[in-house]
Amino acid sequence: MNINIKRTNPYAILPRYASAGAAGLDLTACLEEPLTLAPGARAIVPTGIAVDLPPQHVGLLFARSGLAVMQGLTLSNGVGVIDCDYRGELQVGLIHLGTEPYTLQPGERIAQLAILPVARVQPIEVEELSHTRRGAGGFGSTGR
């Protein structure tokens, strides 16, 4: 599948897969200068690109595992959702959960973009749901 990408900043780096088996395209920080985040700080980081997602697809932004585990830099909203009709610049909300300041460099890979199909459903209110073996068992109900 092809996807149209528009640079909103001429210095933007187009997203690419880091390996042949990568599930997400790496997005990079489109910054004019380094950006230092103190522990606990949040920032919206521009990528300098916009995408034309196909109908009935969603773009999901995920943290880069290395940055999250080693530096404490992750997405401020957990997972970013890009609707198929959004045409603005992709921006990444980051939060720094580490203990030391972290400096983002221009062009640094900051997130991953996975593009997935989405099922559109029509909610229908009912009095009862179908029965399953698990039922309403929630957190921890299936064991460790």
Side-chain angles (χ1 to χ4, degrees):
M1 172 187 316
N2 294 326
I3 182 171
N4 295 328
I5 298 174
K6 176 185 173 183
R7 290 181 206 250
T8 60
N9 182 309
Y11 299 106
I13 298 171
L14 294 180
R16 58 180 158 255
Y17 294 103
S19 71
L25 293 156
D26 283 337
L27 298 179
T28 60
C30 190
L31 300 169
E32 293 181 21
E33 58 189 34
L35 171 65
T36 299
L37 293 173
R42 293 182 303 250
I44 296 175
V45 181
T47 65
I49 63 162
V51 296
D52 191 346
L53 295 175
Q56 294 185 312
H57 283 73
V58 64
L60 297 176
L61 292 178
F62 296 99
R64 294 197 60 245
S65 57
L67 278 179
V69 171
M70 292 185 267
Q71 305 298 331
L73 197 62
T74 190
L75 274 64
S76 58
N77 59 339
V79 174
V81 175
I82 303 162
D83 296 315
C84 68
D85 56 353
Y86 176 69
R87 295 296 180 267
E89 178 183 14
L90 301 185
Q91 299 182 67
V92 179
L94 294 176
I95 185 166
H96 181 35
L97 302 175
T99 58
E100 300 294 325
Y102 184 80
T103 301
L104 278 173
Q105 300 297 324
E108 184 172 350
R109 294 179 298 160
I110 56 170
Q112 299 179 73
L113 170 64
I115 299 168
L116 302 167
V118 173
R120 296 282 296 185
V121 299
Q122 180 62 44
I124 300 172
E125 185 176 7
V126 296
E127 292 294 322
E128 293 290 327
L129 298 176
S130 64
H131 294 280
T132 67
R133 183 174 178 164
R134 180 177 181 178
F139 300 109
S141 67
T142 61
R144 288 185 122 189

